[in-house]
Amino acid sequence: MDFKKIGVLTSGGDAPGMNAVIRAVVRAASKSGVKTVGIMEGYQGLMDGNIVDFSTGDVSNVIAKGGTMLYTARANEFKEQSGMEKALKTIRDNEIDGIVAIGGDGTFRGATDLSRHGVPTIGLTGTIDNDITATDYCVGFDTAMNAVLDCVDRLRDTCESHARCIVVEVMGRDSGYIALQTGIATGAIGIVIKEVPFDEEAMIQRILRSKGHGRRSFVVMVAEGVRDADGRPYGEGLTRRIEARTGIESRFNRLAHVIRGGAPTLRDRLAASMMGEAAVKLLLDGKSDLVVCERDSSIVTYEINFALTLDKMYKNKLKPGDLDAFSHSDIRQMEMLAEMRRQEIRDMYNAALTLM
Ligand code: ATP
């Protein structure tokens, strides 16, 4: 196919590094003589025909900026046939030959729908949770974790002065990666994530022993997805229980969206640049319905449906029939990738416990 114009969009939750991806797409396309248009506000803009022309100059100096210059939105109508028809009209009217869609699993569902309707589409991860099982790395993850480190280091200073415990809740609805890795990096005395059973009593005993040795400040990291028996955020109740059991004044801190902003780190700018460039190459090579991933430091691709189904397998959310379209070797590969991720998290958690 003779490619003349690529559309790029960002969708779902924003992530630092999305601008660096957009820049890479615009630059790589331009080097091949292909124009890029920006689709504003994700699939909403695609349905509304909210399209802007891009030249390489338009992406000067965006590599260092957080957020997304294309903005983002949740666009539920895109899941319906009426939304798809509007999107296809925009694509025809603007003569868009292929799309790079940057976001998380919802964004990839939209991307695979577009591919099924004959629009070449490549998905690219931009999500701070690092919760796409097919890839070792999602753009935005490193910057978000560094933002957590900065906040917790500050909280630690004041906790040390006042002899307090802080329980810090960080983003990660379905994934404990941020809590786990920042927990290790901030010297937390407890880490609570969905993926590994949490021994609260053992943590209380660690705090008491440590207090007995003269330690004044304590950090506990909790992933937002962890809930107590009543469905309430686990960290809030945990804070009260730590204070009651240890006598240490304890405070709950929800970092929430503050960790989603800010200039992307080197890791994110690099991943965004390499993945953005790869996405354009794939489209120009006639590929579609793929997600660009990183595995063992190399760029690889998986079919979007493979990546989405692998996620379901990893999260134990498979429904009857979900695996019907896959070969025996695909299913085997999914099982292997899901188990590798589980093992990686268990190993990291055990190392964290050793160091507490
Ligand atoms: P994050 O997990 O970081 O929030 P995400 O891409 O998963 O990112 P969602 O809000 O789930 O975020 O999805 C983004 C957009 O993708 C939705 O607003 C919608 O337009 C589109 N989308 C989501 N699910 C589907 C689906 N099943 N079919 C078609 N499009 C979808």
Side-chain angles (χ1 to χ4, degrees):
M1 163 171 189
D2 185 20
F3 253 84
K4 293 201 179 63
K5 202 188 277 179
I6 289 176
V8 57
L9 62 83
T10 52
S11 155
D14 67 336
M18 281 182 159
N19 286 325
V21 181
I22 297 164
R23 172 184 178 273
V25 169
V26 174
R27 294 265 156 107
S30 166
K31 284 279 154 61
S32 298
V34 174
K35 264 186 73 65
T36 309
V37 290
I39 301 159
M40 304 302 293
E41 296 189 311
Y43 294 117
Q44 189 61 50
L46 192 60
M47 291 186 293
D48 296 345
N50 193 356
I51 307 291
V52 294
D53 281 332
F54 266 155
S55 71
T56 53
D58 294 324
V59 288
S60 287
N61 294 328
V62 302
I63 196 166
K65 293 209 169 75
T68 162
M69 65 187 289
L70 290 175
Y71 310 142
T72 182
R74 314 269 178 196
N76 282 329
E77 196 196 343
F78 187 65
K79 298 177 191 169
E80 314 294 330
Q81 188 54 32
S82 63
M84 177 56 71
E85 275 160 21
K86 288 180 189 170
L88 292 173
K89 180 174 183 319
T90 300
I91 290 166
R92 275 195 308 274
D93 290 351
N94 290 273
E95 299 176 320
I96 296 170
D97 299 313
I99 287 181
V100 177
I102 310 159
D105 57 347
T107 303
F108 300 154
R109 277 192 194 95
T112 199
D113 280 359
L114 280 172
S115 295
R116 271 202 295 272
H117 284 83
V119 182
T121 306
I122 302 291
L124 209 148
T125 65
T127 175
I128 63 164
D129 291 353
N130 208 34
D131 62 348
I132 307 291
T133 316
T135 185
D136 291 342
Y137 192 76
C138 296
V139 170
F141 180 47
D142 188 61
T143 308
M145 288 200 299
N146 278 289
V148 172
L149 287 196
D150 186 46
C151 293
V152 175
D153 288 349
R154 287 162 194 261
L155 288 165
R156 171 78 84 173
D157 287 347
T158 163
C159 279
E160 183 71 19
S161 307
H162 288 268
R164 282 183 189 146
C165 173
I166 41 159
V167 176
V168 182
E169 185 194 89
V170 290
M171 282 193 168
R173 251 190 335 255
D174 290 319
S175 167
Y177 261 122
I178 297 180
L180 177 54
Q181 298 203 13
T182 60
I184 293 171
T186 55
I189 197 142
I191 298 173
V192 192
I193 59 175
K194 263 186 179 175
E195 292 89 333
V196 182
F198 174 59
D199 189 339
E200 188 172 315
E201 183 55 31
M203 186 196 70
I204 297 283
Q205 295 307 322
R206 272 198 303 279
I207 293 176
L208 287 170
R209 268 197 308 278
S210 197
K211 183 186 173 194
H213 294 141
R215 187 163 170 176
R216 292 173 59 83
S217 64
F218 301 89
V219 171
V220 179
M221 298 299 300
V222 186
E224 72 170 324
V226 188
R227 302 274 141 170
D228 63 19
D230 301 320
R232 284 191 292 262
Y234 192 85
E236 292 176 4
L238 180 64
T239 310
R240 288 190 293 274
R241 293 191 294 277
I242 292 172
E243 183 159 306
R245 294 283 313 280
T246 66
I248 299 165
E249 190 183 350
S250 300
R251 298 278 166 89
F252 178 69
N253 278 267
R254 177 171 289 133
L255 295 186
H257 289 80
V258 75
I259 70 164
R260 279 236 294 245
T265 58
L266 177 135
R267 176 81 170 96
D268 279 324
R269 295 181 204 191
L270 209 52
S273 301
M274 305 310 284
M275 289 179 172
E277 194 257 357
V280 171
K281 258 196 201 139
L282 288 164
L283 277 180
L284 299 188
D285 282 350
K287 304 280 180 9
S288 178
D289 209 7
L290 299 174
V291 55
V292 179
C293 296
E294 188 185 294
R295 192 149 283 286
D296 301 327
S297 305
S298 296
I299 301 254
V300 297
T301 57
Y302 292 99
E303 283 185 4
I304 293 181
N305 197 28
F306 178 98
L308 291 171
T309 309
L310 166 58
D311 265 343
K312 284 195 194 167
M313 179 184 277
Y314 173 71
K315 291 167 189 160
N316 294 319
K317 288 182 179 167
L318 279 178
K319 293 202 198 80
D322 278 347
L323 293 175
D324 288 357
F326 295 97
S327 67
H328 186 69
S329 84
D330 279 345
I331 296 169
R332 188 67 211 102
Q333 193 187 7
M334 278 183 212
E335 286 167 348
M336 193 189 72
L337 291 170
E339 185 45 34
M340 269 168 58
R341 175 152 298 210
R342 288 192 196 104
Q343 190 62 44
E344 182 197 358
I345 290 182
R346 279 195 298 266
D347 288 349
M348 212 181 276
Y349 197 90
N350 287 335
L353 281 178
T354 306
L355 300 173
M356 281 171 187

